[in-house]
C-alpha cells in the first residue's frame, strides 16, 4: 500500500496554510506564509495573529474569530495583512474550526492583484461618473444661460418692420436667421425641460422621417450652403424613417454637413451625398463628401475623441465628431469612417434595429 507524505503537500502549495489556536496564535504555518509576509517563523509564532492584520480590519476579523470559536466555519473572508516591509496584502480565507482541538485550520489565497484591479476599476468608474455629471451640469447651465440672448434676438425680429425692406435677398436672409434662432430656442428648451424634470438629460426616441429632419437642418444652414456653393444630394429610398431621437438626428446632420463644408478642398466646391442602405438587415445612413479627408493612420483611435483636432482651421473645436459619435452610440448604433486624404470621407452610421 502506497503511503503519501502530506507534509510535502503542506509545504509545497503556493497558498497559505496555517493552523491557529483559539488563543489567537499561529501553531503551524507553511513556507508560503513567511515568504509572503516577510517574517521568519519565529517572528510569526511570537506575536498574536491580530498584530499582523491591518489595523482597519482587526475589529471585524476578531468578530469572525469569535464565530469560529462557536464552531461556525468562515468561508471566503477577505482581510488585509501588513508585510514586514510595510506593504499591504489582501488575503481570502477559508477557515474551519475543530473545537475538540481548540484549533482552526485555515487556507488563504493572495488576492492583492485582484483587489488592485477592482480598485482601479472603481476609481475609473468614479472618475467617469464625475466627468459625466460635470458634463450634464455644463449642458444644463449652457442651455439655460443661452436662452436669454436667444429670446432677446427673437424679440428683435418681432419688433422689426420688414414691410419697409424692399430688397428680397435681405428679406430672405432675415427669414433664415429667424428660423435658425427659433430652432435653437426649441432645442435649448428641450434640454432645459428634460434636465428640470429628471435631473438628467432624458433621451426620447420616436419614429422620425429622415428627409424632414434633414430639411430642418438645411434650412438653418441655407446661408452657409449658398456661400460655399455646396451641393447636397440625398436619397432615402432604402428606408425613409428611423426610430431615433430628433435632436440627436438633427445634430448628426448638422455636424457632418458643416464639417464637410468647413473642410472642403481649396477651390473645390463641396459635394455631399446622403443616402440610406440596408446591409445584412442593418439600416445604415451613409454620408459622403469630396473634402480634404483624413489620414486614417494618424486619426486611428482618436477620431471621435473629445477636443481632437485634425485641422489647423481656427473654426476647428474638436467637438463635432465627438457629438456625432455619442449621439449614435448612446442609442446602440455604430459609426465608421473610410477616408483617403484629399479624396473625401465616407461616414457609415449603422442604427440599432
Amino acid at each position: 500500500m502506497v503511503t503519501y507524505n502530506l507534509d510535502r503537500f503542506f509545504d509545497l502549495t503556493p497558498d497559505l496554510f496555517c493552523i491557529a489556536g483559539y488563543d489567537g496564535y499561529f501553531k503551524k504555518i507553511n513556507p508560503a506564509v513567511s515568504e509572503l509576509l516577510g517574517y521568519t517563523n519565529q517572528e510569526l509564532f511570537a506575536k498574536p495573529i491580530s498584530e499582523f492584520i491591518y489595523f482597519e480590519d482587526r475589529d471585524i476579523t476578531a468578530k469572525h474569530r469569535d464565530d469560529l470559536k462557536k464552531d461556525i466555519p468562515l468561508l471566503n473572508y477577505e482581510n488585509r495583512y501588513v508585510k514586514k516591509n510595510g506593504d499591504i496584502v489582501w488575503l481570502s480565507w477559508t477557515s474551519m474550526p475543530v473545537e475538540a482541538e481548540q484549533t482552526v485550520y485555515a487556507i488563504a489565497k493572495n488576492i492583492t492583484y485582484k483587489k488592485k484591479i477592482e480598485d482601479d476599476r472603481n476609481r475609473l468608474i468614479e472618475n467617469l461618473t464625475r466627468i459625466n455629471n460635470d458634463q450634464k451640469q455644463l449642458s444644463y447651465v449652457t442651455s439655460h444661460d443661452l436662452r436669454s440672448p436667444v429670446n432677446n434676438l427673437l424679440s428683435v425680429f418681432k419688433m422689426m418692420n420688414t414691410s419697409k425692406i424692399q430688397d428680397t435677398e435681405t428679406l430672405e436672409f432675415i427669414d433664415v436667421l429667424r428660423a435658425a434662432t427659433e430652432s435653437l430656442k426649441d432645442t435649448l428648451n428641450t434640454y432645459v425641460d428634460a434636465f428640470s424634470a429628471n435631473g438628467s438629460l432624458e433621451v426620447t426616441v420616436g419614429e422620425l422621417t429622415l428627409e424632414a429632419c434633414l430639411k430642418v437642418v438645411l434650412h438653418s444652414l441655407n446661408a452657409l450652403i449658398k456661400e460655399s456653393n455646396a451641393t447636397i444630394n440625398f436619397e432615402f429610398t432604402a428606408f425613409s424613417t428611423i426610430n431615433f431621437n430628433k435632436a440627436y438626428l438633427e445634430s448628426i446632420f448638422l455636424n457632418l454637413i458643416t464639417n464637410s463644408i468647413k473642410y472642403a478642398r481649396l477651390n473645390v466646391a463641396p459635394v455631399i451625398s446622403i443616402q440610406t442602405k440596408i446591409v445584412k438587415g442593418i439600416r445604415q445612413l451613409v454620408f459622403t463628401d469630396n473634402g480634404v479627408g483624413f489620414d486614417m493612420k494618424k486619426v486611428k483611435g482618436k477620431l471621435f475623441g473629445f477636443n481632437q483636432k485634425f485641422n489647423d482651421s481656427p473654426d476647428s473645436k474638436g467637438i463635432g465628431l465627438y457629438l456625432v459619435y455619442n449621439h449614435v452610440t448612446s442609442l446602440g448604433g455604430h459609426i465608421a469612417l473610410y477616408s483617403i486624404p484629399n479624396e473625401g470621407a465616407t461616414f457609415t452610421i449603422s442604427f440599432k434595429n
Side-chain angles (χ1 to χ4, degrees):
M1 182 176 179
V2 179
T3 58
Y4 297 98
N5 186 349
L6 296 181
D7 285 340
R8 183 172 296 174
F9 177 76
F10 187 87
D11 292 338
L12 294 179
T13 178
D15 292 333
L16 283 67
F17 280 19
C18 66
I19 302 173
Y22 277 17
D23 59 1
Y25 284 79
F26 286 120
K27 302 304 180 183
K28 184 175 182 180
I29 58 174
N30 70 339
V33 177
S34 56
E35 288 174 8
L36 177 64
L37 298 180
Y39 292 98
T40 65
N41 284 15
Q42 291 74 15
E43 290 173 321
L44 290 167
F45 291 138
K47 296 180 180 179
I49 297 173
S50 59
E51 291 196 19
F52 302 106
I53 298 174
Y54 185 59
F55 73 96
E56 290 185 357
D57 296 343
R58 289 178 182 175
D59 290 342
I60 185 66
T61 301
K63 292 179 181 178
H64 286 295
R65 187 169 61 246
D66 290 340
D67 289 336
L68 285 168
K69 293 179 181 179
K70 298 174 184 176
D71 205 27
I72 301 174
L74 183 61
L75 305 176
N76 301 317
Y77 171 64
E78 298 176 357
N79 67 357
R80 289 165 288 185
Y81 274 62
V82 182
K83 297 170 64 173
K84 190 172 183 178
N85 64 6
D87 292 344
I88 296 174
V89 291
W90 276 94
L91 300 177
S92 177
W93 293 92
T94 295
S95 304
M96 305 296 295
V98 179
E99 187 175 3
E101 300 177 3
Q102 297 286 287
T103 55
V104 175
Y105 291 79
I107 302 174
K109 289 184 176 293
N110 183 359
I111 58 169
T112 306
Y113 180 70
K114 171 188 168 185
K115 283 293 184 179
K116 184 179 184 305
I117 292 176
E118 290 179 358
D119 289 342
D120 290 344
R121 182 191 63 190
N122 290 336
R123 279 195 294 269
L124 177 61
I125 293 174
E126 182 180 347
N127 189 42
L128 289 175
T129 301
R130 179 183 56 77
I131 292 173
N132 187 47
N133 290 334
D134 289 346
Q135 288 181 338
K136 287 180 180 179
Q137 183 65 19
L138 178 61
S139 298
Y140 175 80
V141 172
T142 302
S143 301
H144 181 273
D145 291 351
L146 281 176
R147 289 198 301 178
S148 293
V150 169
N151 287 332
N152 288 338
L153 188 55
L154 288 174
S155 298
V156 171
F157 287 128
K158 289 180 181 179
M159 293 186 293
M160 187 179 295
N161 186 359
T162 55
S163 63
K164 296 181 180 180
I165 301 175
Q166 303 299 320
D167 184 66
T168 56
E169 187 175 10
T170 300
L171 290 171
E172 183 179 348
F173 285 151
I174 292 174
D175 286 339
V176 169
L177 186 57
R178 181 190 292 111
T181 307
E182 289 175 346
S183 177
L184 176 59
K185 178 186 176 182
D186 290 341
T187 300
L188 293 174
N189 285 338
T190 299
Y191 287 161
V192 172
D193 290 344
F195 272 117
S196 298
N198 305 300
S200 62
L201 184 57
E202 181 180 353
V203 179
T204 57
V205 174
E207 187 176 43
L208 304 173
T209 302
L210 292 169
E211 184 173 345
C213 290
L214 176 61
K215 286 186 174 179
V216 169
V217 174
L218 294 179
H219 185 65
S220 67
L221 296 176
N222 185 50
L224 178 64
I225 293 170
K226 285 186 175 180
E227 183 183 8
S228 63
N229 293 317
T231 300
I232 300 178
N233 304 308
F234 60 89
E235 181 183 351
F236 301 135
T237 53
F239 61 92
S240 59
T241 62
I242 192 68
N243 205 43
F244 208 71
N245 176 267
K246 185 174 185 293
Y248 282 9
L249 184 59
E250 290 179 0
S251 177
I252 290 169
F253 281 136
L254 177 71
N255 281 289
L256 291 180
I257 291 172
T258 53
N259 271 9
S260 293
I261 294 174
K262 188 188 304 182
Y263 303 123
R265 283 181 287 163
L266 186 64
N267 299 323
V268 177
V271 177
I272 300 168
S273 171
I274 309 171
Q275 61 180 317
T276 53
K277 292 182 178 180
I278 299 179
V279 179
K280 296 181 179 180
I282 297 176
R283 294 185 173 195
Q284 295 182 337
L285 182 67
V286 182
F287 188 100
T288 305
D289 66 32
N290 65 335
V292 296
F294 297 87
D295 185 333
M296 296 302 293
K297 292 182 179 179
K298 291 184 178 180
V299 304
K300 185 178 181 181
K302 300 185 293 184
L303 181 65
F304 299 109
F306 181 71
N307 203 30
Q308 293 292 332
K309 302 178 184 180
F310 309 104
N311 192 287
D312 294 332
S313 170
D315 290 334
S316 179
K317 304 299 181 184
I319 296 176
L321 291 181
Y322 169 80
L323 289 175
V324 171
Y325 174 83
N326 279 277
H327 292 337
V328 173
T329 57
S330 66
L331 293 178
H334 175 75
I335 182 169
L337 167 68
Y338 173 79
S339 183
I340 297 175
N342 294 315
E343 293 187 21
T346 298
F347 290 92
T348 301
I349 297 172
S350 300
F351 294 99
K352 178 183 179 182
N353 288 335

